Amino acid sequence: YPIVHPTQEPWSFAGVFGKFDTAQLQRGYQVYKEVCSACHSMNLMSFRNLGQPGGPHFSEAQVKALAATFQVQDGPNDAGDMFERAARPSDRFPAPFPNPEAAAAANNGKAPPDLSLMGKARAVERGFPWFLLDIFTQYQEGGPDYIHGLLTGYKEPPAGTEVGPGLHYNVGFGSGSAIAMAPPLSDGQVTYSDGTPETVDQYSRDVAAFLMWTAEPHLDARKRIGFQVIIFLIVFAGLLYFAKKKIWSKVA
Ligand code: HEM
């Protein structure tokens, strides 16, 4: 579908030396938990992942406490029954709806997609010459740019545009700009403890960064090791060149 170009945000994880901002990932998790998790699942994530280095890096005690705020299905027990209990760090995030049909029924016929890989599942089409250069500059922020653009993209429809029942006009949404997701965020909705501005723009940025991390949890390590490998290869190429010169120097 046609892709509306969102603004390119200054992400901390952009570029060859990019790194996730731990405080931002923690705030982004808070937005996911308090807002998005009401409708969207995050099936590929376990609570223990929240303690991983290179991610939100919550302490072990914090991860336990965060997990315990969710209820998960377990069982069968000795009596053969399924039961609910507080989640543990080893559990996956529970989905808000039991199946896609129930999710769709609660949302005007459109099931909210799973958010685990959303940071990578959406992108921005950048065209020539960028797609040739992006591989060298490590550009892959199209996903978070898209999510930020979507969450801040709710606008009044232009005169003459009909928006169907249960749909919301959004300039960041590709398929005809009418999305079944009602504007999920409003200013002041989530209370941050670190003094970060409590605005839709900031929430969107933080949750988009968090979803980039869930989709690419080893980005920090990958970029660091990639850089080291390139330095190694440059030095190695130099050594090979001089070794070759020395070995062949006696051949006239
Ligand atoms: C779709 C993110 C909160 C219901 C989506 C999409 C994203 C997203 C990235 C996919 C759009 C696309 O296909 O390109 C978020 C985030 C949220 C949030 C980050 C929290 C800040 C919610 C809430 C609800 C909801 C609270 C339910 C009340 C939906 C539905 C769709 C959707 C029904 C499918 C829309 C369609 O295909 O027309 N959301 N969402 N979302 N979301 Fe959310």
Side-chain angles (χ1 to χ4, degrees):
Y1 40 69
I3 304 219
V4 178
H5 281 253
T7 54
Q8 210 169 323
E9 297 296 316
W11 303 106
S12 69
F13 46 85
V16 175
F17 299 109
K19 265 188 176 63
F20 285 121
D21 170 351
T22 312
Q24 177 170 54
L25 296 188
Q26 296 196 355
R27 293 194 303 271
Y29 169 71
Q30 195 187 348
V31 176
Y32 170 75
K33 154 82 177 144
E34 292 183 23
V35 185
C36 325
S37 70
C39 301
H40 289 276
S41 58
M42 197 161 63
N43 291 337
L44 299 178
M45 291 288 294
S46 299
F47 292 100
R48 65 184 166 77
N49 296 131
L50 297 174
Q52 248 166 240
H57 213 170
F58 286 110
S59 69
E60 211 177 311
Q62 281 173 316
V63 171
K64 276 192 183 146
L66 292 173
T69 61
F70 283 83
Q71 291 287 310
V72 292
Q73 277 264 330
D74 201 349
N77 59 13
D78 291 345
D81 298 325
M82 302 300 282
F83 60 95
E84 291 226 322
R85 59 164 172 78
R88 302 184 198 118
S90 55
D91 287 314
R92 295 271 173 119
F93 275 81
F97 298 102
N99 52 51
E101 291 71 32
N107 287 284
N108 282 304
K110 283 272 195 163
D114 186 82
L115 292 186
S116 317
L117 299 178
M118 196 51 91
K120 289 280 200 175
R122 297 291 179 274
V124 179
E125 224 168 67
R126 304 222 303 160
F128 184 82
W130 296 110
F131 76 92
L132 294 175
L133 301 175
D134 286 348
I135 189 166
F136 298 109
T137 58
Q138 287 275 306
Y139 174 83
Q140 46 194 314
E141 294 80 58
D145 279 341
Y146 175 86
I147 295 171
H148 173 263
L150 180 77
L151 295 173
T152 55
Y154 290 95
K155 300 267 161 25
E156 281 299 311
T161 302
E162 282 280 322
V163 176
L167 297 180
H168 308 268
Y169 186 75
N170 188 317
V171 293
F173 188 56
S175 52
S177 290
I179 186 166
M181 170 166 74
L185 295 167
S186 54
D187 288 345
Q189 187 177 353
V190 177
T191 307
Y192 282 156
S193 58
D194 62 358
T196 306
E198 295 170 357
T199 59
V200 170
D201 182 64
Q202 187 65 39
Y203 296 148
S204 309
R205 209 179 294 257
D206 293 347
V207 78
F210 175 72
L211 293 177
M212 180 67 180
W213 170 73
T214 60
E216 173 96 52
H218 300 297
L219 178 143
D220 281 11
R222 185 172 58 69
K223 290 200 175 184
R224 191 185 66 242
I225 294 167
F227 186 73
Q228 290 165 351
V229 166
I230 296 296
I231 295 289
F232 170 80
L233 287 177
I234 291 172
V235 172
F236 192 57
L239 286 177
L240 281 182
Y241 173 71
F242 289 112
K244 180 248 169 210
K245 269 185 88 125
K246 181 147 200 303
I247 291 166
W248 290 88
S249 61
K250 293 190 195 92
V251 180

